[in-house]
Structures are given as C-alpha cells and as structure tokens.
Amino acid sequence: MMQLRRRLRFLFRRAEFERALDEEMRFHLDMRTQENMEAGLPPEEARWAALRRFGNVMLLKEVMREMWGLRWLETLWQDLRYGLRMLRRSPAFTAVAVLSLALGIGANTAIFSIMDALLMRMLPVKNPEELVCLRTSVSFPAYKKLRDRNQSFSGLAVIRFMETSITVNGEAEPAYGQMVTGNYYATLGVNAVLGRALSPEDDQVPGVGGPQGPVAVISYDYWKRRFALDPSVVGKAVTINGVPVKIVGVTPPEFFGAMGGTDKPVDITVPIMLQPRVYPVGTTALWLNGQQGSELEYDGSDEYGWRPMIARLKPGVTMAQAQAELNVLFQQVLAERAGSAMDERRQRENAERKLELTPAGKGLFAMVPERPTALLLLAVMAAPGLVLLIACANVANLLLARAAARQKEVAVRLAIGAGRSRLIRQFLTESVLLALMGGAIGVALASWGRNLLLAWISNSEFLFLRAETDTRALVFTAAATMAAGIMFGLAPAFRAAKANLATMLKDVGVSARAGRRRWEPGKVLVVAQVALSLPLLIGAGLLARSIQNMRSFDTGFNRENLLLFTTEFLGSNKPRSGALIKEIGERMVGIPGARAVGLSHPPGMVGWMKVSVEGAAPLPEGEMFASRFLAGPGYLEAVGIPLLAGRDLSTRDNENAPKVCVVSAALAGKFFPNTNPIGRRLTFPRPGADYQAEIVGVVKDVRPWRGAEAKFSRTAYCPILQDLPASYLTLEVRAAGNLAPIIPEVRRRFQDIDRNLLLDVKTWDALTDGMQFDRIWLSRLASGLGMLALLLACVGLYGLMAYSVARRTNEIGIRMALGAERGDVIRMVLRETLWLVLIGIAVGLAASQALTKIISSMLFGVKTTDLATLSVATALLLGVALFAGYLPARRASRLDPIVALRHE
Amino acid sequence: MDKNITKSELLPGTLDMLILRTLRRGPLHGYGIAQHIQQVSDDVLQVEEGSLYPALQRMQLQGWIASEWGETANNRRARFYRLTPAGRKQLEREVAGFDRILAAIARVMGTA
C-alpha cells in the first residue's frame, strides 16, 4: 500500500523526479572528475574517465523510472490520450456510436423496467411462487368447507375489492379498499410494519368482526399520503363507507395488495365479515349464508360479486395435485347442497363445474399469458430485444466500417515496430472508451426514459405501474451493448494481426475500391435494422388506426355534450333505497345549461344474460340472450335514443308498480319478427325469483360499446327503481352548450343531498377510452419502440454512409475533376442509400405480415394488410432514412476536388 | 583491477546491507556512499554507479531510506540519504542473515 502511494506520488511529480535525478548524477560526475583531477589527470580526461565509469546515463535513468513508475498505468494513459484524439478526429463517428450505445442501453432498460412491472414482477411476499389463485367465486359456507377440509394449502383466503369513501377527521375522500378473510395476511406471509395485521380473530361475526370490533389495516402508501407517517395512527378511528372502524396496523411499503403490478393499490383492508355494513351490495347476504338453494350454481362468477381466492400451496405440493384434490372436495361440497331446490339441469351443470387454479405469484390480476395474449406479450417482450439488437448492430457496423478505414494505419504501426498485443490494447482502449461514454449517457437515459414512458402509458384509472429502473436489466443491457462494442472494436486489431503487412501497405487503392463490395457486413446490418424497425412502425400504426376507429365508431347517438356523473352509494347516511334515487332525480331537475337529465346504472354495467320470451318465435337456446340494462326516467331522452313505439320509462315505474321494460328494435326484431312486442313479457332467470317484465315500448338500436358485435344491441331497459337495492347510480346530463359550468352545479346538488356521496365525472368518450386502454398503451409502447428503432436505424445508416463517403473521398474527387456535378454526387450516394433501404423495407414488410398477425385480435376496423398504414409507415421510414443518407451525400458534394484528390 | 571485486561477485543482497550500514553513521550522498564503501574496504569493494543509484531508488521505494537535499562541506547541493526506522530494522535483519551465512561458510571451510 505504502509503495503504491509512493508510486502514485511519483506519477504526479515526474518532472521533479527527473530534475533531481539529473542533478544528483551531475553532482556525482563532478565529484568523480575532481577526484580524478586530484589523482593527476588533466581536466578533460578526468571528465571522460568519470563518464566512462558512470556508464550509460540514459539507460540508468530508464531503469529507475521503470522501477518507480506504474508502467501499465502510463501506457494506459497514453492509449487513452491517443484514443480520445482518434475519437475527436471523427466526431460524427463518435457521436453516432455513443448515441447508439446510449439509446440501446437507456431505452432498453427503461422499456424492460416497464415490462417487468407489467408482466414479470413477483408479489413482495415470502415465497410468492407458492401462491395460487382460484378464480371461481363460491359462497362463504362453501369456502369454509374448502378451507377446512383441504390438505394442499397452508392457507386459503377470500378477497373482495371495493371502492370506498373514507372519512378521517370529518373529511370524506375516495380510497381503494378490500375486504379479506382473517387469514389473508398469514396466507400471504405479510406482517405489519406498525401495529399488527388482521387475524382470523378479527373476522368472526358478520357486521361486527372480532373482539376488538370493526378494525382495519392501511397500506404504507396511504399512511404516508393521508397521515404523514404519524405513528399514532394505530388506534385511530376512521369511517369507511359510513362505518366506524379502528386502524390497527400498517402494511410494508412494498406491499400494495395481492392483485399484482398493474392494478390499483389497495389503501385500506377490513375483515370480510364487515361486508353487510361496509359494502352491502345485493348479493352480500346471499354470499354470506349461501342460502336460497342458489349456492354454487352455474354462472358462479357473477353470482356473489367477484371474490377471488388466493391460496398458498404447502411445500412440496404441486398445483396439479392441489387442483385434483380441490375438485374432488368441490364436488363433495356441491353434492351436500344438491337435492334441495336444484333441478336436474343445474345438477348436471354442477357436475361439470371445476375449480381452476392459476399461479398467483405475480398477483391475482397479473396478466396470465393465455391464448393469443401470450403471443402478443411475447411480441411486446421481444420488441426491446429487437431494439437492443439494432443498437448492437449499429455499433458493430460503425466499428467495422472504421476498421476497414484504419487498415493502413494499423499496417504502418505494425511496420514501425508496434507489438501486436500493444496494438490490440490500443484498440481495446478506444472501444472501452466509447462504451463507457455511451454507457454513462445510457444510464442517465434509463431512468429519465422510464419516467417518460411511465407517464405516457400508465393511467391512474386503468393501469397502475410502479416501475423502478431494474438494475439487472441495466447491467445486462449495458454489458450486452458494450460487449458488442468491444468485440467489434477489436476486429481491426485482429484482422491486422492476421494480415499480410506488405499487401496492406501497398493497398493504396483501397479508398478507390471501397464501397464497391456488394455485401459487406455493414450493409447487411443496416438492411437488418431497417427491416426490424418497419414491423414496429406498422404495428403502432395499425393500433393507432384501431383506436381512431373506435373513437369515431357510430354508436347511434350523439356523444358530444354528454356528461356522466357516477356515484357509488358508499358512506351515504341515507338508506340505500329507492328514496335516495328518487331524491336525486327530483333535485337534478332544472340544471342551468342542461337540455335533458337522465338516471341509470353506470353505462358499463350491462349484463348479457339468458332470457325467455313469452310468445316468441322459436329460436335455438344459444340465441336466447339479451342485454339487460337498468335505466331510470329520462335516460333514453338524455342519451338520445328515440322511441319508436309505445311509451318511455317514467317516474311512475317505481318499486310498487308492475315491472315493465323498454326494448331495442333489435330485440323486438329478433324475438317478435312478425308480432307487436308491446304487452309481451320477458323473463330473466335469476336465483330466488326470476325477473319478469312487460314490454311497454320499443326504441332505436344503439351500440354504446364500440366494436361490440351487433347482437349486443339487443337490449332491454328496465327501471332502476324496480330492481333494488342499487349500489351505483349514473346521472346523464345532456348539455345545451358549454359543459364546464354544469359540473360544479351538479356537484353542489349532490353535496346538498348527502356530502358522503363521491362523484366521478366523465364524458362518454373518456369512459370508452378506458375500455380500450390495453390497445392504447400497447399502441403507445409500440410507437415509442418503433420511433426508437427508426432513430437507431437512421443513426446506423448515417454512420455507414458517412464512412462510405469519407473512404471514397478520392474517388469522388476524381469524379468531380472529370466533370461530375454536385447533383450527380448527391444522387450517387443517395442511390446507394436507397438500395439498402428498399431491400430493408422489402424484408420488413414480409416480416411485419407475420408479426402483425399476433396483434390482429386487438385491431378494430383495420386489417393487418391495411394499405394506408403500410404506406404511411413505409413512407416515413423511407423519408427519414433518405434524410440520414442525404447529410453525407451533401458533404460529399461539397468536396473540393483538389483537396479530395490530395486526400491520403 | 584484480583485487577489485565487481558487483556481480558480491554476495547477492550485500550491496543493500553495505549501503544501509554506511548510512547508519549519518546522512550521506550517493558519491559519498560509494567512496566510503571503497575506502573502508581498502578498495576491495568498488560500488558501481550503475548499481548504486538503482539500489538507492529501490530502497527509497521500500521505505528503508529517505532522501533530502542538503549542502556538502564545500557548499555544493547534493541529495543526502538517511536511514529510516524501517531501514534500521532491515539492516539488523540483513546483518543477522549475513552473520549466519558467514558462520556457515566458515564452518564449511574449517572442516575442509
């Protein structure tokens, strides 16, 4: 260590060292000369004798320098300086190589981080790979039997997600919540960071919970957001949907719930036994008691509201074993209920029911690759890989081009005695230098790019992403790109090591013949880049067209000036009955600026269900389906669905009046092709008592869900007041003009009714954009990637052409001297570019036909062979590529023939 | 010339010891060290500059000796080397080792 420090000091005080050495030797010689003179030699001879005795001063100094110095450090420094000089001498090359590396590393890491958050991240719990999900909802009694009898799971918990309104210190605000069975945290293996987690003790008595009464656990994020990490939050009383609960603990910061990476984070968790008070939707009692002979009937997923179960496999138990055991148990449980009020058909259907286990290590809602989606995801995952490939190809290409150009330099250096290892080291230094510069910028780009991407594709309502720059990805990408850079950077050195010096030195004509070779590796790489970026651009284009088509789809009514105010009856003090709906209806009359106001269930809540029709034409059982939608008075008018026959729904169609409905022309035409439907009855089978209603009117068809098949416009509109209790309500307001003043007015009126009512305000288009959000983010991602790929391809093309021009300076000079015009030179260079791009496009088009098939399920109103999209993408590529080729072409055309001829 | 033993004939490692021993008397410049060794050994040991100066550098690097600039008796600037504590210890080690070798050689010679 000490030695190293002394050596380092030497390195910095080199000049001083040399001076001291000189003086010391001079002193020695002087003394010796004097001694010799004293011995009687004449001065001249005395000096010579001293010098002779001293020996080779230079060699001595060299020996000592080497003793002190860090030889390798010195040569490294030399190499670095030389390398930097070389890079500075060709700034275009340097910029292009560094940019490629930076984009390759940065963009890829950013994209990979997002992909990871989207698709691959495991839940932050103990041994997440042991977790499985049961997607079938079963009743609570059935759940208890499955939980207690199974041998496969160390825990089986039920989850029900819910929107909530939480009141803290008298202020209500929306939050995302869940109700879970008491063993939820134990099953997941999650402990509280503050206070305690929920336990089975807290989840015993319906409506009450456990010995401590209603309790809740909040997330770290919510603790931070709402309570500023105040530790006294444990023991605090808050109100959730109007029910007072006591906070008993906070979960760890990395844990957002069991649903996985992309869903809304859960803010608050309560025992599921509190549901009758906290979230009493119509199915609560049904679920809790499993009564009315309805338990575990077909159509189970909707019956109780979706309640997924999450379970942890015991060590050593495989998912297949667990599934086999669970299904035997499930049939037992079903058999125990059978015999009661179940008809033969239901028994038959029950016998076919199965519990499906899926891996839940990534969360319940993690995208589970299945069917065409798997291919799609594969394509999305492959895209960053493609970009990485392009980046590597770029760097390789540039370095190869440069290697060719440097052949003579190498030959000269070898000829004047450079060692081959020394030469390789020099090239290695240059490559590493490039890689480091690119890497540094790339790392900076990675986190910046991730934030940009995150802001672009995530959406607080549909796609929650918690992405961090993934270190593994960063290291991997950086290593891959740099390795490519270094490997290809060494090419000239290795080529030189093999080459014959004499021929290389003689080969002055290399510049005149460069660019003549038909298939050098550089060209192949550029063609490959162009070919790779085209499918990405086309994919993005097709998706963008689909989104556009969805937006401009004719729904059958005017979507402009239509505002939707949706509320969930959470935390309202008023009884959740028809009274509240009626009150809202009455209070919303006469909003200034509103042409019409209507009430309904939220427009997305449409059930496609079995129906039996009195006096209908006989149809196959598979066609006896219709949409059922709960609408209130004024809905048809506000949305703009004209009445064709009979009457509209009115305020008189309340809970006490006979059940009625209005049907769409498509429904009427399907079931009553030749008869008048008015006065006929529709029956929707449902557990308990079937829902039966008399048709009182017929309205025009609409297709509110753009892209939905035409048959879905077969709709029955039933009065919301005749199917209570309702948990949601949407107010449709058709504005006469400006929407802005209406929003605060409606908010104020809702607050007057009950200040706990939380409002969600949207235009119709915003609502449907949410439904095609998958398409939107995918399109954005694809276009981002496509642009990146295009940019990289152009950078590569530019690099190649710039080098080609530089190497052909001589040739171009001759051509110009012989009378070639500037235009001729530009055309000559551009022609070469064009050929490369055209070949790339041809390959790319073929590849994209194969690749876009994968996303065909997401396309709407556009085919994978859509001419417009293909031509726009191709034209864009061609334009940008030619621009990249034009820059070097222009430089070539501005060459001074005299200078060009003297070149080299 | 016959009676002069050149460096290559010195026992390996003894040059360092001789220099260290010389410096134990006090700081001295390179020329002085060479002269001293030559005089004390009655011209038997003649230290060559080509060995002396690299040895001095090497020993500095090892931390056995340190150098500083000073003035000679006749007012010339010269680099004076002095022994460091580490060098003193090294000298003891080398002397001990040398004594052992001398004794061993003496025994061999005595029995022959």
Side-chain angles (χ1 to χ4, degrees):
Chain A
M1 264 331 281
M2 284 291 284
Q3 276 200 30
L4 187 68
R5 209 184 315 156
R6 281 186 207 116
R7 279 173 204 257
L8 283 175
R9 201 161 50 218
F10 162 78
L11 211 59
F12 292 109
R13 297 212 193 131
R14 229 191 128 123
E16 200 181 308
F17 175 85
E18 299 274 338
R19 253 198 328 274
L21 220 53
D22 281 346
E23 190 173 349
E24 187 169 31
M25 289 180 180
R26 209 163 44 241
F27 169 78
H28 190 108
L29 285 171
D30 287 353
M31 295 301 280
R32 183 73 71 203
T33 310
Q34 205 173 340
E35 186 196 324
N36 289 346
M37 276 163 70
E38 277 162 16
L41 287 174
E44 196 75 348
E45 213 164 309
R47 185 79 188 168
W48 275 113
L51 278 172
R52 241 188 341 266
R53 185 175 158 162
F54 204 98
N56 188 340
V57 182
M58 291 313 284
L59 185 68
L60 189 61
K61 274 160 83 173
E62 189 59 39
V63 167
M64 287 193 274
R65 254 200 307 270
E66 208 163 304
M67 192 187 292
W68 274 95
L70 298 165
R71 180 74 201 261
W72 57 270
L73 203 65
E74 269 176 72
T75 42
L76 176 68
W77 180 235
Q78 275 177 15
D79 283 351
L80 274 178
R81 278 203 324 239
Y82 182 76
L84 277 173
R85 211 160 52 227
M86 288 304 287
L87 294 182
R88 238 198 337 258
R89 253 181 45 187
S90 39
F93 161 78
T94 308
V96 165
V98 168
L99 196 66
S100 291
L101 280 168
L103 284 176
I105 295 170
N108 247 303
T109 310
I111 290 162
F112 183 84
S113 305
I114 302 273
M115 287 294 145
D116 177 59
L118 218 58
L119 302 169
M120 290 182 289
R121 178 132 5 117
M122 299 296 265
L123 287 178
V125 301
K126 194 183 67 189
N127 302 338
E129 66 285 348
E130 290 175 356
L131 295 176
V132 292
C133 171
L134 286 77
R135 279 164 202 282
T136 314
S137 299
V138 300
S139 73
F140 189 64
Y143 155 72
K144 278 203 293 191
K145 288 175 187 169
L146 292 176
R147 180 191 66 193
D148 298 338
R149 294 182 195 171
N150 85 78
Q151 302 291 315
S152 305
F153 300 139
S154 58
L156 175 66
V158 178
I159 308 166
R160 175 75 155 94
F161 297 96
M162 60 175 174
E163 297 291 342
T164 67
S165 153
I166 300 185
T167 312
V168 181
N169 302 332
E171 273 179 60
E173 65 163 28
Y176 195 57
Q178 64 178 358
M179 294 168 287
V180 298
T181 47
N183 59 355
Y184 171 78
Y185 289 106
T187 301
L188 286 177
V190 170
N191 295 315
V193 286
L194 185 76
R196 63 177 181 86
L198 297 181
S199 74
E201 270 219 321
D202 297 316
D203 188 39
Q204 291 172 329
V205 189
V208 178
Q212 281 189 283
V215 293
V217 165
I218 59 171
S219 75
Y220 189 92
D221 185 53
Y222 189 64
W223 183 35
K224 190 168 155 191
R225 211 168 68 221
R226 196 71 179 79
F227 299 98
L229 302 181
D230 178 5
S232 72
V233 74
V234 170
K236 191 170 177 62
V238 298
T239 308
I240 172 166
N241 294 349
V243 180
V245 295
K246 196 173 83 179
I247 294 174
V248 293
V250 180
T251 50
E254 69 278 5
F255 183 73
F256 291 91
M259 53 305 139
T262 61
D263 209 71
K264 263 196 211 180
V266 165
D267 297 319
I268 188 162
T269 307
V270 297
I272 207 161
M273 280 300 144
L274 296 184
Q275 186 174 3
R277 290 177 64 203
V278 169
Y279 202 73
V281 287
T283 53
T284 306
L286 206 64
W287 177 76
L288 211 51
N289 304 316
Q291 273 170 357
Q292 300 172 347
S294 62
E295 177 192 359
L296 309 176
E297 277 168 15
Y298 76 99
D299 203 20
S301 56
D302 292 333
E303 195 169 348
Y304 307 113
W306 195 60
R307 286 181 173 82
M309 289 184 275
I310 193 159
R312 183 180 285 279
L313 294 169
K314 281 184 183 162
V317 177
T318 66
M319 206 165 76
Q321 288 166 351
Q323 171 134 2
E325 194 214 349
L326 261 283
N327 274 313
V328 172
L329 274 181
F330 190 41
Q331 284 302 322
Q332 274 175 21
V333 173
L334 287 169
E336 284 164 26
R337 293 289 313 172
S340 53
M342 242 178 267
D343 63 32
E344 221 174 285
R345 197 196 75 218
R346 285 184 181 172
Q347 285 188 24
R348 207 174 52 239
E349 277 168 355
N350 273 345
E352 282 166 16
R353 287 191 66 194
K354 277 201 161 50
L355 284 176
E356 191 89 28
L357 267 60
T358 50
K362 293 171 193 165
L364 296 176
F365 297 164
M367 300 191 193
V368 183
E370 42 185 342
R371 294 163 284 125
T373 333
L375 277 173
L376 174 69
L377 292 183
L378 213 64
V380 174
M381 298 278 291
L386 288 188
V387 174
L388 181 64
L389 217 60
I390 295 176
C392 285
N394 249 5
V395 176
N397 192 358
L398 281 168
L399 289 168
L400 283 176
R402 205 163 130 88
R406 281 176 77 173
Q407 261 182 21
K408 256 180 74 184
E409 177 205 333
V410 170
V412 169
R413 293 180 70 184
L414 278 173
I416 59 173
R420 297 219 146 132
S421 70
R422 184 75 177 70
L423 211 56
I424 290 179
R425 195 162 59 188
Q426 169 63 40
F427 278 101
L428 190 64
T429 313
E430 273 176 49
S431 306
V432 171
L433 210 60
L434 269 184
L436 285 180
M437 290 198 286
I441 302 176
V443 169
L445 266 183
S447 70
W448 178 78
R450 170 187 44 99
N451 289 340
L452 194 76
L453 261 179
L454 213 53
W456 203 19
I457 71 165
S458 79
N459 175 310
S460 60
E461 219 164 329
F462 309 110
L463 187 66
F464 271 84
L465 280 180
R466 288 171 290 271
E468 280 147 34
T469 297
D470 188 283
T471 329
R472 290 166 302 153
L474 187 63
V475 169
F476 172 76
T477 332
T481 334
M482 288 189 183
I486 290 167
M487 260 162 45
F488 287 99
L490 280 179
F494 284 121
R495 199 182 284 181
K498 274 188 288 178
N500 182 336
L501 255 182
T503 44
M504 274 164 78
L505 278 172
K506 262 193 302 184
D507 197 4
V508 187
V510 73
S511 60
R513 271 192 278 126
R516 290 276 113 149
R517 289 227 316 276
R518 232 140 224 257
W519 286 111
E520 44 192 290
K523 290 186 178 177
V524 177
L525 288 173
V526 161
V527 168
Q529 289 180 5
V530 172
L532 284 177
S533 43
L534 194 57
L536 284 169
L537 287 177
I538 290 177
L542 289 174
L543 285 167
R545 292 260 301 177
S546 302
I547 293 165
Q548 208 49 50
N549 288 346
M550 285 292 259
R551 288 195 176 135
S552 57
F553 182 77
D554 183 13
T555 53
F557 57 89
N558 179 8
R559 303 191 303 274
E560 272 163 48
N561 299 337
L562 188 56
L563 271 177
L564 304 174
F565 298 82
T566 300
T567 183
E568 216 178 331
F569 294 149
L570 304 164
S572 167
N573 295 322
K574 312 221 167 172
R576 205 168 290 100
S577 70
L580 186 56
I581 296 174
K582 277 181 228 162
E583 186 179 352
I584 293 171
E586 283 158 17
R587 293 272 197 113
M588 296 302 159
V589 174
I591 297 169
R595 254 201 344 243
V597 177
L599 290 176
S600 73
H601 233 204
M605 296 180 125
V606 183
W608 177 247
M609 42 182 80
K610 245 184 179 34
V611 66
S612 58
V613 185
E614 178 195 86
L619 283 170
E621 201 177 330
E623 294 196 29
M624 297 300 289
F625 277 85
S627 298
R628 180 169 167 274
F629 181 66
L630 296 180
Y635 172 80
L636 296 171
E637 192 199 339
V639 174
I641 307 173
L643 195 66
L644 300 176
R647 67 170 179 89
D648 193 357
L649 301 175
S650 80
T651 46
R652 282 189 307 279
D653 298 316
N654 57 24
E655 56 268 50
N656 303 317
K659 288 197 171 75
V660 295
C661 66
V662 168
V663 299
S664 67
L667 188 144
K670 182 80 183 173
F671 299 124
F672 308 101
N674 304 311
T675 43
N676 183 1
I678 292 180
R680 306 281 182 167
R681 287 171 178 282
L682 293 182
T683 308
F684 293 98
R686 61 158 57 175
D690 291 345
Y691 187 93
Q692 201 173 60
E694 186 189 325
I695 298 171
V696 294
V698 178
V699 293
K700 200 188 120 187
D701 287 336
V702 292
R703 287 168 72 182
W705 309 117
R706 294 169 232 166
E709 288 173 62
K711 68 173 183 184
F712 292 118
S713 58
R714 234 185 276 159
T715 307
Y717 301 89
C718 301
I720 193 165
L721 284 173
Q722 294 188 341
D723 198 8
L724 295 170
S727 357
Y728 303 87
L729 188 75
T730 295
L731 181 79
E732 286 86 8
V733 179
R734 168 73 67 187
N738 192 1
L739 300 175
I742 294 178
I743 297 171
E745 174 66 18
V746 172
R747 273 193 194 285
R748 199 183 52 74
R749 293 187 183 206
F750 264 100
Q751 291 294 294
D752 285 350
I753 299 165
D754 187 332
R755 55 190 297 260
N756 285 323
L757 289 175
L758 298 167
L759 271 191
D760 174 55
V761 189
K762 275 201 180 70
T763 61
W764 193 288
D765 282 337
L767 189 75
T768 36
D769 263 6
M771 297 186 164
Q772 58 166 338
F773 199 70
D774 273 0
R775 197 178 274 128
I776 292 178
W777 73 254
L778 199 64
S779 146
R780 287 178 176 175
L781 201 62
S783 56
L785 278 169
M787 285 302 169
L788 186 67
L790 179 62
L791 186 64
L792 280 169
C794 286
V795 161
L797 194 63
Y798 169 78
L800 184 78
M801 293 321 291
Y803 249 85
S804 159
V805 165
R807 285 156 60 203
R808 293 164 67 184
T809 305
N810 227 282
E811 176 203 334
I812 293 168
I814 294 171
R815 281 172 188 270
M816 290 180 85
L818 291 178
E821 294 290 320
R822 288 202 165 165
D824 297 334
V825 173
I826 290 186
R827 265 194 298 281
M828 180 184 79
V829 177
L830 277 187
R831 202 178 308 129
E832 196 179 326
T833 314
L834 193 65
W835 267 114
L836 293 178
V837 176
L838 284 181
I839 297 170
I841 285 176
V843 178
L845 279 177
S848 63
Q849 277 316 301
L851 291 173
T852 47
K853 284 225 168 52
I854 296 170
I855 57 166
S856 58
S857 68
M858 298 200 87
L859 299 183
F860 175 72
V862 57
K863 288 207 188 92
T864 54
T865 50
D866 182 58
L867 200 62
T869 311
L870 294 189
S871 7
V872 168
T874 309
L876 178 71
L877 185 69
L878 200 62
V880 180
L882 282 183
F883 178 70
Y886 174 72
L887 294 177
R890 199 185 52 177
R891 179 143 23 99
S893 75
R894 301 220 169 138
L895 281 172
D896 182 342
I898 312 271
V899 177
L901 280 172
R902 253 197 250 128
H903 184 75
E904 279 186 41
Chain B
M1 277 310 247
D2 287 344
K3 57 179 183 175
N4 288 351
I5 298 173
T6 50
K7 178 215 159 202
S8 57
E9 286 165 275
L10 277 173
L11 281 169
T14 42
L15 178 61
D16 285 7
M17 184 176 69
L18 295 177
I19 294 172
L20 288 171
R21 178 64 185 79
T22 306
L23 288 179
R24 206 169 72 180
R25 297 170 61 244
L28 201 57
H29 43 73
Y31 177 76
I33 294 170
Q35 288 301 94
H36 177 83
I37 293 175
Q38 197 172 342
Q39 278 161 19
V40 171
S41 68
D42 286 337
D43 286 351
V44 172
L45 302 173
Q46 188 170 320
V47 182
E48 286 192 5
E49 286 84 344
S51 318
L52 172 69
Y53 283 98
L56 284 172
Q57 295 296 341
R58 196 178 57 244
M59 286 158 78
Q60 272 195 96
L61 196 55
Q62 248 132 14
W64 298 339
I65 59 175
S67 69
E68 56 228 10
W69 289 89
E71 302 234 323
T72 63
N74 38 15
N75 290 335
R76 285 216 45 181
R77 238 168 80 81
R79 193 192 327 224
F80 282 81
Y81 296 90
R82 63 177 169 76
L83 215 53
T84 63
R88 218 168 275 279
K89 267 187 216 133
Q90 178 64 21
L91 177 60
E92 280 164 29
R93 270 198 298 277
E94 295 210 357
V95 169
F98 187 68
D99 284 348
R100 230 177 26 248
I101 289 170
L102 270 190
I105 293 173
R107 275 199 301 278
V108 172
M109 300 307 284
T111 56

